[in-house]
Amino acid sequence: MEAVLATYQSTDTSAVTTWFKACTVKSIPENGGACVKYKDKQIAIFNFVRKNVWYACQNLCPHKMEMVLSRGMIGDADGIAKVACPLHKKTFSLESGENLNGDLPAIATYPIKIEDGFVYLGFSE
Amino acid sequence: MQRIVVIGNGMVGYKFCEKLVGLAKPGALDITVFGEEPRPAYDRVHLSAYFENRDAGSLELAPASWYSDNGIALITNQYVSDIDKENKTVQTKSGETHTYDQLVLATGSAPFVPPIQGVEKDGVFVYRTIEDLEGMMAYAEKIKDKKSNGKAAILGGGLLGLEAGKAVMDMGLEPHVVEFAPKLMPRQLDARSSKVLQLTLESLGIHIHLSKTTNQILGNGAITGMEFGEDDKLDVDMLIISAGIRPRDELAKTCGLATGTRGGIVVNHKMQTSDPSIYAIGEVALYNQMIYGLVAPGYDMAKVAANQIMGNTDEVMANDIDMSTKLKLIGVDVASFGSPFMPADKGHSIIFENKTKRLYKRINVSHDGKTLLGGILVGDAGDYNMLHQMYLNGMALPENAEELVVGARGEGGAAFGSAMDLPDTAQICSCESVSKGDICNSLLNEESSTLKDIVSCTKATTGCGGCKPMVVDLVNETLKSMGKVVKEVICEHFQYTRAELYDIVRVKGITSYDEALDTVGKGDGCEVCKPALASIFATIYNDTANKEAVIQDSNDRFLANIQRNGSYSVVPRIPGGEITPEKLIVLGQVAKKYDLYTKITGGQRIDLFGAELNDLPAIWQELIAAGFESGHAYGKALRTVKSCVGSTWCRYGMDESVSFAIELEERYKGLRSPHKLKGGVSGCIRECAEARGKDFGVIAVEGGWNLYVCGNGGAKPKHALLLAEQIDNKTVIKYLDRFLMYYIRTAAPLMRTAAWLEKLEGGIEQLKRIVVEDSLRLGDELELQMQALVDRYECEWKQAVENDEIRKRFQHFVNTEDRDDNMVFVPMREQKMPEAWAT
Ligand code: SRM
Ligand SMILES: Cc1cc2nc3c(=O)[nH]c(=O)nc-3n(C[C@H](O)[C@H](O)[C@H](O)COP(=O)(O)OP(=O)(O)OC[C@H]3O[C@@H](n4cnc5c(N)ncnc54)[C@H](O)[C@@H]3O)c2cc1C
Ligand code: SF4
Ligand code: FES
């Protein structure tokens, strides 16, 4: 799984070479998340309606290497948007990917945009 | 290195060790402690709690590791049989010899067994050690197996005898207290208060026999009765002797230390015996020609001896020793302080008596009306702590001293000030010598900030516990004076406790999470307040977890428990553990079809593990078609009501436990709560359903069901406590409705019933008042609320499989039908399991 983990690297919007049309806006629950597949990657997408922001990050939780983050609850800690892993409630910033309640490695976050009712994810490969 | 040997590891012996290691530099002393009992020192004062919880561990004053951590060699199960004063050695029964520089005798006392003919018979017990209690309980069980109306007598109507009376009642036997004197608690009560107490005890079902001299214990081998006069007999199956104590001064006598004529080792105000290298403390010490059968003076003695040994020779025992006492446990308030009986030449008494309300109050006041000399309270000892403090601190009495007894006249005029009016030196916890100043200053200096801090740093309330209400008052008042609000809020988004939030949601009619956040919260929520509010909505409106899926805890969102590898488990409800062969076959077929690991759970049902998210709706569709419903194994909700087979099949069964367990499980299924809820129903006291290990437990007894509440297994096991006895099915449900609803409304998030009860002011007695006596007049409301929830029950899995929108939730990817290919199973014993985690 370590090898799998290494394939997830935070991507900066400026580096995006492909905008992948991932799903419709409606397929992601409001104030919750769901998972999409891109090549062999699993990406968690969150529609944070309260902040009016969309977030995308790896679905893999670096704690026990399980593909579960999209099923976690979202919220904020001191204003920072975060997701709590459903397995052991480790929380990660949806902005920087940083682990907020421990010292796990940060998760990768991806650029995301909404156009014509569709969700697009940005990748650099 | 100084060698200290302590004989006796009881309450006072332990306290001595604690004080000594607190004063000495680590490693400076070589301390060896001998204890005759098989275990380290335990809280004898709360010995009776053992009847309730049978948990010796919870009575321990300190674990065995505490002794080794503090460099103390503790040798339990070892009687010291000899002291050689000249050579300064002690010898153990097993023949070992140990030398000492200083020796401390903390051998306590033994129950006094009067030389009555027949006391050696089976079924005659004393009441001092855990082993005594175990013996009594085993014997009581034997009696109950033979007959349903067993009786037990207690010889002695003093403080301890009455406590034993309560214990007998809890063991399910009919209690009879036999007292030699013409009144109860002869050392603490006058004749009139004793009469009031007697009336109350009789109304509780304790039979009282006064002015009785026991001539003989009857029975052939085992006790069958007691004989007082020729035609005066009492049939009993068991006897507990509680006729006073005798100091265990046998060692002192054989080695030639000075002892009193009626026993006890003579000590001076330094706690030294007639040999200056030997100290005696606790119930074995004869100080001021008195043996003090209470723990607080013993603790003072321990402190003095430890200080003397460490060279702080100024620390000596006070001349006057406070013997004020408050009776615990029995369900009636009794207290006496200072000089309860006062000769007329010293002052006058103010007495209030109301026999119909079973109340008696007496205070003794000096002739000039300025000082309180003592008093007696029966029926309502609510004012005990304040009166006791006034007495101890010689505080000025109000102009009309009778107000202390009958209450102040006029609007809200309290005769007592608050605990805050006491002087800083006032001793609040006499067991641990903690003054008001110790408590308040620790808060003011910000060394502590909660009641818990105060208890752990001062140890106040950890002895007899009598000072608890006062300590709580002092902590709250002090924090208030510092402008601090004391409450446990949910999280950064809601500055309320769960109970407050529950009321707010109900009163304001808030129905969605965002509405709650916008009206009474802040920020965007988190994984703590979301499920907390989901639970509140569920118990007010009976919303299922499908209504607002994204605020549900992760398991509730997918109506299944997530497993190690991200797969899920499926647990259909099997009420009471009863299942038809047809349904069993369906479970097997479904498990086979979807390749699920199958296991019988600890909750009498079947768990199918390893289901992929995408398969959950199809699996449940098949189960529902076969008549199954959600088992809510994923929710903080009612889980199972475990049953034993009961009277339908079992030769001992007193009632149909399976039928009742099913009825209860059907009633409360789907009920969400602050934490999970489990129930149990046993058909007789053999308790095969382990009902007392559940949040609610029902046990069939002669004449109905006994209802127990607030137990659990898990991380901190606790036995459930008796809420009501011999009640019928309808009453069980009525009390359960009230109890569960009250718990749901007032508990903190993730607080199980046992922890909740621990926090409930007044504990089980208060809960009885609320549930059984309906003291808050909430009964009807709670029952109606519960009935509304019961009526609105819906199986949330049925909702889910019948609704295409909801079914979409159960997809691993939203952009393809592909399955999660990272999920790896490996074979295990003809089934499968998730691949192990790397770390
Ligand atoms: C399956 C089962 C073990 C088994 O194979 O037998 C089980 C499995 C789990 N238990 Fe349990 N407990 C199971 C019976 C028990 C029992 C025994 C009982 O109910 O008689 C207890 C002790 C009794 C009690 O609760 O008082 C028990 C005490 C716990 C606790 C500790 C609770 C506590 O208050 O200390 C937890 C943790 C928690 O709830 O926070 C827990 C939590 C869990 C969780 C939910 C852990 C989790 O969050 O994933 C496990 C989920 C398994 C799954 O995915 O389905 N489980 N668990 C049992 C399911 C019973 C059922 O039919 O629903
Ligand atoms: C049921 C009950 C309820 C009580 N309730 C209250 C109350 O509410 N308030 C209150 O203030 N007090 C109460 N007491 C009294 C209180 O428990 C005692 O005052 C206290 O335990 C005395 O402590 P101690 O260390 O002197 O004696 P103990 O606690 O009896 O300890 C003495 C220990 O020394 C051991 N020992 C004796 N001889 C030897 C030897 N030669 N070698 C090795 N070991 C030896 C004994 O086995 C024992 O373990 C109660 C007592 C009982 C039994
Ligand atoms: S005891 Fe622990 S490991 Fe076993 S099922 Fe319960 S929670 Fe899981
Ligand atoms: S696997 Fe995510 S917190 Fe443990």
Side-chain angles (χ1 to χ4, degrees):
Chain A
M1 279 315 253
E2 298 297 328
V4 179
L5 182 63
T7 66
Y8 294 95
Q9 295 294 338
S10 282
T11 305
D12 200 64
T13 317
S14 59
V16 171
T17 52
T18 328
W19 282 102
F20 169 63
K21 188 174 184 178
C23 58
T24 60
V25 162
K26 286 219 184 81
S27 44
I28 310 293
E30 294 195 349
N31 288 314
C35 176
V36 299
K37 193 171 183 180
Y38 170 69
K39 295 185 181 168
D40 53 1
K41 283 198 174 61
Q42 298 196 14
I43 306 294
I45 298 177
F46 299 97
N47 178 6
F48 209 137
V49 177
R50 284 196 65 90
K51 284 192 185 290
N52 201 18
V53 182
W54 287 72
Y55 295 98
C57 66
Q58 68 188 54
N59 195 32
L60 183 69
C61 176
H63 179 219
K64 293 289 180 184
M65 306 296 170
E66 298 296 355
M67 289 292 186
V68 289
L69 287 179
S70 61
R71 302 178 200 166
M73 280 178 275
I74 57 170
D76 80 298
D78 294 324
I80 303 171
K82 63 171 184 175
V83 59
C85 174
L87 275 169
H88 310 97
K89 301 261 160 78
K90 301 285 181 196
T91 55
F92 302 90
S93 160
L94 287 171
E95 282 145 28
S96 66
E98 168 198 4
N99 176 203
L100 299 171
N101 60 353
D103 41 24
L104 290 169
I107 53 171
T109 57
Y110 294 88
I112 184 167
K113 65 177 185 187
I114 307 299
E115 265 173 34
D116 303 329
F118 286 93
V119 180
Y120 292 84
L121 296 177
F123 295 98
S124 61
E125 72 242 45
Chain B
M1 201 162 25
Q2 259 207 99
R3 271 161 310 185
I4 317 277
V5 169
V6 183
I7 307 181
N9 183 227
M11 295 190 76
V12 175
Y14 163 74
K15 180 59 57 178
F16 171 79
C17 294
E18 185 194 297
K19 294 286 175 205
L20 194 65
V21 296
L23 291 168
K25 284 198 204 81
L29 299 174
D30 174 354
I31 310 171
T32 306
V33 180
F34 294 96
E36 185 190 8
E37 293 186 67
R39 58 188 101 240
Y42 53 89
D43 184 355
R44 216 179 290 288
V45 169
H46 293 102
L47 188 59
S48 301
Y50 190 73
F51 283 114
E52 295 261 345
N53 57 29
R54 306 202 181 183
D55 178 8
S58 71
L59 286 177
E60 241 172 32
L61 294 175
S65 59
W66 178 87
Y67 297 87
S68 46
D69 291 349
N70 285 286
I72 298 172
L74 171 65
I75 305 168
T76 51
N77 233 332
Q78 189 62 271
Y79 180 75
V80 174
S81 52
D82 231 333
I83 301 173
D84 180 343
K85 286 191 306 195
E86 276 67 52
N87 296 312
K88 291 198 164 182
T89 61
V90 299
Q91 197 175 10
T92 66
K93 201 170 170 191
S94 60
E96 283 171 49
T97 306
H98 289 258
T99 51
Y100 65 80
D101 296 313
Q102 317 270 1
L103 178 65
V104 178
L105 296 171
T107 49
S109 66
F112 169 60
V113 180
I116 302 169
Q117 199 185 330
V119 280
E120 72 295 338
K121 290 196 200 308
D122 281 355
V124 180
F125 295 90
V126 294
Y127 193 7
R128 182 140 190 117
T129 63
I130 288 181
E131 286 70 27
D132 292 338
L133 265 60
E134 282 171 343
M136 281 181 221
M137 286 191 277
Y139 201 82
E141 287 309 312
K142 274 204 281 181
I143 298 173
K144 285 192 287 186
D145 279 347
K146 274 191 239 136
K147 50 162 125 175
S148 60
N149 57 347
K151 292 181 189 171
I154 297 96
L155 190 69
L159 211 61
L160 210 62
L162 296 182
E163 198 174 313
K166 167 80 164 51
V168 161
M169 206 150 68
D170 290 345
M171 286 190 287
L173 300 176
E174 185 181 292
H176 290 259
V177 171
V178 177
E179 167 61 47
F180 170 76
K183 60 178 184 178
L184 288 170
M185 294 179 63
R187 282 153 158 264
Q188 289 90 4
L189 298 187
D190 56 15
R192 288 168 75 176
S193 51
S194 158
K195 187 75 202 162
V196 173
L197 175 61
Q198 183 182 348
L199 289 173
T200 321
L201 293 178
E202 283 169 347
S203 75
L204 292 172
I206 301 182
H207 302 254
I208 311 282
H209 310 264
L210 299 174
S211 307
K212 296 280 184 208
T213 316
T214 310
N215 296 333
Q216 225 197 107
I217 311 287
L218 306 169
N220 182 7
I223 179 172
T224 55
M226 299 164 76
E227 185 189 276
F228 309 121
E230 207 159 309
D231 293 317
D232 193 3
K233 295 196 180 77
L234 178 68
D235 289 340
V236 291
D237 307 285
M238 183 168 152
L239 173 66
I240 299 172
I241 296 185
S242 169
I245 53 172
R246 285 288 173 274
R248 295 195 52 182
D249 54 9
E250 66 263 19
L251 280 177
K253 278 190 175 133
T254 45
C255 80
L257 291 175
T259 54
T261 41
R262 297 189 57 218
I265 308 173
V266 177
V267 291
N268 60 19
H269 59 297
K270 297 176 169 179
M271 293 293 119
Q272 263 168 340
T273 64
S274 53
D275 178 331
S277 316
I278 305 183
Y279 294 78
I281 55 179
E283 280 187 352
V284 75
L286 188 69
Y287 175 66
N288 277 348
Q289 286 151 40
M290 272 270 287
I291 295 289
Y292 300 88
L294 291 176
V295 72
Y299 279 5
D300 287 340
M301 295 177 183
K303 189 170 157 204
V304 169
N307 273 288
Q308 290 291 338
I309 288 175
M310 293 313 296
N312 309 328
T313 46
D314 291 348
E315 180 91 22
V316 294
M317 199 64 189
N319 261 328
D320 295 321
I321 289 179
D322 182 33
M323 293 292 281
S324 306
T325 36
K326 191 167 157 208
L327 190 62
K328 50 187 194 293
L329 288 173
I330 193 99
V332 39
D333 275 1
V334 180
S336 103
F337 60 95
S339 349
F341 329 109
M342 183 198 45
D345 59 328
K346 288 246 175 86
H348 53 260
S349 301
I350 304 173
I351 296 175
F352 169 83
E353 184 185 66
N354 181 343
K355 275 207 181 115
T356 44
K357 286 199 170 163
R358 314 252 155 80
L359 279 178
Y360 179 89
K361 293 182 180 187
R362 163 178 176 169
I363 57 169
N364 305 323
V365 177
S366 62
H367 282 303
D368 60 7
K370 289 213 172 106
T371 29
L372 187 59
L373 302 172
I376 298 172
L377 305 169
V378 173
D380 172 13
D383 296 334
Y384 170 72
N385 278 327
M386 275 316 279
L387 286 169
H388 186 206
Q389 287 296 338
M390 288 183 129
Y391 157 73
L392 286 177
N393 298 295
M395 288 164 73
L397 294 181
E399 205 173 319
N400 297 316
E402 72 266 20
E403 288 178 358
L404 294 177
V405 176
V406 293
R409 256 166 265 168
E411 289 293 293
F416 305 104
S418 88
M420 294 300 275
D421 298 340
L422 295 171
D424 263 6
T425 50
Q427 199 170 75
I428 304 295
C429 173
S430 50
C431 298
E432 295 287 342
S433 312
V434 182
S435 69
K436 179 194 158 202
D438 296 339
I439 294 171
C440 298
N441 293 334
S442 171
L443 292 165
L444 293 169
N445 303 337
E446 311 213 320
E447 288 153 8
S448 343
S449 56
T450 61
L451 176 64
K452 217 166 109 206
D453 292 350
I454 290 289
V455 171
S456 71
C457 78
T458 63
K459 294 197 141 211
T461 74
T462 59
C464 71
C467 60
K468 180 111 186 258
M470 224 163 198
V471 175
V472 172
D473 275 357
L474 286 174
V475 170
N476 287 344
E477 288 300 314
T478 311
L479 288 177
K480 238 191 252 163
S481 76
M482 295 165 72
K484 291 195 181 168
V485 227
V486 233
K487 70 177 182 186
E488 286 169 27
V489 301
I490 301 231
C491 67
E492 64 176 88
H493 305 102
F494 289 94
Q495 296 299 304
Y496 299 101
T497 65
R498 183 180 173 284
E500 287 168 340
L501 205 51
Y502 180 98
D503 288 336
I504 292 172
V505 168
R506 207 157 70 105
V507 172
K508 298 201 176 213
I510 297 173
T511 56
S512 76
Y513 178 75
D514 272 352
E515 190 186 343
L517 209 45
D518 292 337
T519 41
V520 295
K522 59 166 196 258
D524 298 318
C526 68
E527 71 283 2
V528 176
C529 56
K530 284 183 174 179
L533 269 148
S535 160
I536 291 176
F537 293 140
T539 47
I540 294 178
Y541 310 114
N542 211 8
D543 293 345
T544 67
N546 292 322
K547 172 139 179 272
E548 260 194 279
V550 292
I551 63 163
Q552 303 297 329
D553 216 330
S554 355
N555 283 346
D556 296 71
R557 179 162 166 208
F558 297 103
L559 308 174
N561 293 50
I562 193 166
Q563 304 300 315
R564 253 176 348 104
N565 60 352
S567 66
Y568 285 88
S569 70
V570 172
V571 192
R573 187 167 296 290
I574 300 181
E578 184 185 86
I579 186 164
T580 60
E582 288 74 19
K583 278 188 156 178
L584 260 182
I585 289 167
V586 171
L587 288 179
Q589 284 166 337
V590 168
K592 242 172 127 173
K593 178 164 168 191
Y594 295 93
D595 188 19
L596 305 174
Y597 168 83
T598 307
K599 180 182 182 297
I600 312 259
T601 72
Q604 291 189 333
R605 47 189 187 174
I606 294 167
D607 202 338
L608 312 174
F609 294 86
E612 287 182 43
L613 187 63
N614 299 49
D615 286 335
L616 285 175
I619 293 174
W620 274 103
Q621 189 155 11
E622 293 191 32
L623 292 173
I624 286 166
F628 285 105
E629 290 183 305
S630 166
H632 298 93
Y634 45 80
K636 299 303 176 212
L638 178 84
R639 296 284 172 86
T640 58
V641 179
K642 189 170 173 177
S643 76
C644 74
V645 64
S647 62
T648 36
W649 291 91
C650 175
R651 63 195 165 127
Y652 291 120
M654 316 264 297
D655 211 327
E656 283 186 46
S657 42
V658 181
S659 311
F660 201 26
I662 295 174
E663 185 181 345
L664 293 177
E665 186 160 340
E666 294 283 0
R667 180 171 182 80
Y668 300 119
K669 68 186 176 192
L671 178 68
R672 287 204 144 68
S673 50
H675 205 312
K676 58 191 175 194
L677 282 171
K678 298 181 180 182
V681 182
S682 279
C684 82
I685 48 144
R686 287 170 191 77
E687 246 284 71
C688 300
E690 300 173 302
R692 289 194 64 197
K694 307 286 180 233
D695 299 275
F696 59 90
V698 184
I699 302 176
V701 292
E702 189 81 50
W705 302 97
N706 280 1
L707 174 59
Y708 297 84
V709 293
C710 301
N712 65 234
K716 220 176 136 210
K718 195 145 189 256
H719 266 142
L721 300 177
L722 186 66
L723 185 73
E725 277 178 288
Q726 297 173 308
I727 52 179
D728 60 9
N729 297 40
K730 244 181 80 189
T731 315
V732 169
I733 289 175
K734 173 163 137 169
Y735 289 170
L736 272 179
D737 281 1
R738 293 177 175 183
F739 157 68
L740 291 172
M741 210 59 227
Y742 189 64
Y743 159 67
I744 286 170
R745 281 168 59 156
T746 57
L750 299 184
M751 176 185 257
R752 277 191 82 172
T753 53
W756 169 75
L757 184 65
E758 261 171 40
K759 283 241 162 154
L760 185 75
E761 190 92 19
I764 184 74
E765 293 306 325
Q766 172 66 2
L767 191 59
K768 279 185 198 165
R769 282 191 283 272
I770 295 171
V771 171
V772 179
E773 293 164 28
D774 197 12
S775 62
L776 300 181
R777 305 203 183 279
L778 272 176
D780 289 345
E781 181 182 325
L782 297 171
E783 286 170 51
L784 279 173
Q785 271 183 346
M786 182 62 86
Q787 192 56 46
L789 293 179
V790 170
D791 293 341
R792 262 181 279 158
Y793 165 80
E794 239 187 296
C795 169
E796 51 203 9
W797 259 118
K798 188 156 182 287
Q799 277 181 337
V801 299
E802 287 173 354
N803 179 319
D804 287 340
E805 265 315 298
I806 301 182
R807 280 183 91 126
K808 281 195 196 141
R809 199 190 299 153
F810 301 89
Q811 270 182 350
H812 186 70
F813 295 116
V814 291
N815 63 338
T816 148
E817 303 274 292
D818 288 1
R819 301 292 179 105
D820 175 11
D821 52 6
N822 278 284
M823 201 182 282
V824 186
F825 292 98
V826 295
M828 189 204 44
R829 286 190 298 276
E830 296 170 59
Q831 298 199 60
K832 67 172 183 184
M833 63 173 267
E835 188 181 43
W837 274 332
T839 40

